[in-house]
Amino acid sequence: MWTIAVASANPAKINAVKQCFQSNFPKQAFTVTGFAVASGVAEQPLTSAETLLGAQNRLQALKLQTAADYYVAIEAGLDIDMTFAWMLIEHKGKLGKARSASLMLPRQRCICWQRVCSWAMRWTNYLALLTLNKSAALLACLPITS
């Protein structure tokens, strides 16, 4: 049985990883567990580079916290008026990474920045779920096993 550790306590991210592994490895038994780990970046990263760094930091912290067959980190971010996510998967020392597609944020003059960030985080989690569920990102970043 595979053990899959997710660098987040966010149910949307944990479920996205679980659904993705289920759809890609339907005959494989596995457990998926989320762990709260720090990203080491702003609560809402504002560039692709900062978002990737957050995912990398989460992955490293996760590996220090638990042993697993697969380590998965998903970090949501903003880049000007777009929201996206970086996904990292490590297996047996092999690292794969993929960036999701970007979604444009709404332009509203009356909306405060905190509400935009909250909205973006919800949509980016949904985007990560869609991206992982469709398997494009997982297959792009899943290290080849041998």
Side-chain angles (χ1 to χ4, degrees), residues 22-90:
Q22 283 174 336
S23 65
N24 285 284
F25 305 101
K27 295 180 182 178
Q28 178 65 47
F30 60 83
T31 59
V32 179
T33 308
F35 296 86
V37 295
S39 69
V41 299
E43 185 177 340
Q44 180 60 72
L46 298 178
T47 66
S48 182
E50 184 182 18
T51 306
L52 177 57
L53 178 61
Q56 292 167 332
N57 290 345
R58 285 182 189 276
L59 192 69
Q60 294 308 313
L62 178 65
K63 289 167 44 182
L64 294 174
Q65 191 169 337
T66 189
D69 296 307
Y70 290 88
Y71 298 95
V72 181
I74 302 170
E75 186 74 13
L78 295 175
D79 197 355
I80 305 172
D81 62 348
M82 306 291 265
T83 182
F84 60 92
W86 272 102
M87 289 142 291
L88 305 179
I89 299 177
E90 186 171 317

Side-chain angles (χ1 to χ4, degrees), residues 59 71 89-96 141-146:
L59 192 69
Y71 298 95
I89 299 177
E90 186 171 317
H91 174 65
K92 294 184 179 179
K94 296 178 185 175
L95 176 68
C141 74
L142 187 63
I144 296 172
T145 60
S146 54

